Amino acid sequence: MANKVAIACQGGGSHAAFTAGVLTELLSETNRDKFDLVALSGTSGGAMCAALAWSGLISGKPDLASARLDAFWDDLEARDLLDAMVNWWAVALARLPVTAEISPYTYQPQAEPRLRALLAKHLPLTTLPNDPALRAHPKLLIGATDVLNGTRAVFHGETLRYDDLIASAAVPPLFRAVAHPNGNLYWDGLFSTNPPVREFTDIPEKPDEIWVIQLNPMRRSTEPMIISDILDRRNELAGNLSLGQELYFIQKINELQRMAEPGSPLQTRYKPIAIRIVGLDLPGLDYPSKLDRDAQHIDRLRTYGRLCAASFFDSKSLWTPETTIPAAAMSPA
């Protein structure tokens, strides 16, 4: 019997094209019968990938899941001349040795309407099954941050709205805070849950393994000294902190479950969950490249993701070594 697997997709702007490549390969006819996918989670770009894959899977069409991932990222690429020029200038400005951040409330940001249009085209929520049981297999969890209350928020596939996905990707100052129908204001889940993981322990079909697609590197070889490098590293650290904490939670549950008395709640409610991590480690990636929609850049990331997907079936992806999340993220120096 195939292992039950939950896949967690970290956010990272355009770098999530890597995630799209990984998911497309995992859902291919070659690989999809090697595991039983019971849940997906994601934040920001990872949320888009998770939701697109989920939308095809709950319809019983793995090929549709892959097709929607490919079509979304094809459309996101800057292909026509004007869009390519705008994209080039945006990335070039982000790489300047000095930077100035402007409040998105002084102008009308274009990121949100563009993302809404892409989602409406490639993730037709009104056509998805209405049955909550169908929408819960695989389970979908989307991470965001409550701006005013300072708490993490997790939205569920059974009630998924476009506002949930926009909220998950609303990184300031490219976006204004997203006013959600529930009355709260949300920013990108980067700050609190990137991506949701600990909820996997409580879903009805508990996974045997959690597979993490990690976009932010844990380590850097040199000290960041210019402002662009500092902003880059700051973004990476923020994106990894919550992930380390959530995986530490899984690790602790595993430890407590092994020590628990037979028949105790820890034994009956939980089971050991292995963690596997496949990370994006291409050279030349920085914070501005997370904003880059150049077609060659996006295609390179997707191709690399497809190549790396097989690592989830390799023992090297297990997080056991002390140098990986969560041990290195949570253990004292």
Side-chain angles (χ1 to χ4, degrees):
M1 183 179 296
N3 279 340
K4 295 182 183 296
V5 169
I7 300 179
C9 306
Q10 193 176 49
S14 294
H15 291 184
F18 171 79
T19 303
V22 172
L23 291 176
T24 299
E25 184 63 25
L26 290 177
L27 296 174
S28 68
E29 190 172 357
T30 301
N31 291 314
R32 63 191 178 219
D33 292 332
K34 296 178 181 178
F35 63 101
D36 179 9
L37 182 58
V38 298
L40 285 155
S41 75
T43 290
S44 194
M48 308 306 140
C49 292
L52 288 161
W54 166 85
S55 70
L57 294 172
I58 64 171
S59 302
K61 301 175 181 177
D63 290 337
L64 178 59
S66 296
R68 285 181 172 167
L69 282 163
D70 282 337
F72 177 90
W73 285 97
D74 283 345
D75 267 7
L76 189 67
E77 293 178 351
R79 290 180 175 272
D80 66 71
L81 180 60
L82 178 60
D83 197 18
M85 290 177 62
V86 170
N87 178 69
W88 186 90
W89 276 109
V91 175
L93 288 171
R95 289 206 169 103
L96 290 176
V98 295
T99 185
E101 293 188 343
I102 302 172
S103 169
Y105 296 90
T106 62
Y107 66 100
Q108 186 62 47
Q110 294 303 304
E112 179 176 336
R114 181 183 179 88
L115 182 55
R116 282 189 184 274
L118 282 170
L119 289 172
K121 180 178 179 180
H122 299 291
L123 182 61
L125 293 181
T126 57
T127 68
L128 297 182
N130 289 321
D131 185 351
L134 289 177
R135 292 172 73 106
H137 187 79
K139 178 72 175 175
L140 177 66
L141 304 168
I142 301 297
T145 303
D146 188 316
V147 179
L148 300 183
N149 295 314
T151 56
R152 65 194 290 275
V154 179
F155 304 115
H156 295 253
E158 292 91 325
T159 56
L160 186 68
R161 306 169 59 110
Y162 291 127
D163 287 310
D164 302 336
L165 293 166
I166 299 296
S168 181
V171 60
L174 298 179
F175 287 74
R176 295 175 181 177
V178 175
H180 197 273
N182 65 14
N184 294 334
L185 294 170
Y186 292 102
W187 276 345
D188 195 308
L190 163 79
F191 306 107
S192 62
T193 179
N194 188 28
V197 173
R198 66 191 194 215
E199 283 78 9
F200 289 152
T201 63
D202 287 320
I203 61 177
E205 291 187 274
K206 292 180 172 50
D208 301 301
E209 298 187 353
I210 294 172
W211 294 359
V212 179
I213 304 173
Q214 185 182 7
L215 302 183
N216 293 312
M218 276 292 291
R219 297 179 180 275
R220 287 290 183 185
S221 58
T222 59
E223 178 184 1
M225 300 180 71
I226 63 173
I227 190 63
S228 58
D229 290 344
I230 291 169
L231 292 175
D232 185 18
R233 190 55 180 156
R234 186 177 73 182
N235 179 269
E236 291 170 350
L237 293 172
N240 278 339
L241 178 61
S242 63
L243 175 60
Q245 291 171 332
E246 297 214 24
L247 294 182
Y248 177 75
F249 176 86
I250 304 297
Q251 178 193 27
K252 186 57 64 176
I253 288 290
N254 284 345
E255 292 176 359
L256 294 173
Q257 200 270 346
R258 285 193 294 268
M259 295 186 295
E261 294 291 332
S264 68
L266 276 169
Q267 282 283 343
T268 57
R269 182 174 176 179
Y270 299 106
K271 69 177 183 181
I273 301 176
I275 298 169
R276 296 180 181 272
I277 299 176
V278 169
L280 172 59
D281 60 357
L282 280 175
L285 299 179
D286 56 9
Y287 178 72
S289 70
K290 292 181 178 180
L291 309 175
D292 191 358
R293 295 181 294 107
D294 176 75
Q296 288 186 329
H297 174 60
I298 297 295
D299 290 344
R300 174 184 180 229
L301 288 163
R302 285 196 282 179
T303 299
Y304 188 58
R306 288 191 287 271
L307 290 173
C308 291
S311 298
F312 278 119
F313 306 110
D314 191 310
S315 61
K316 293 179 182 178
S317 63
L318 288 168
W319 67 261
T320 307
E322 291 299 311
T323 55
T324 63
I325 287 178
M330 302 304 298
S331 298

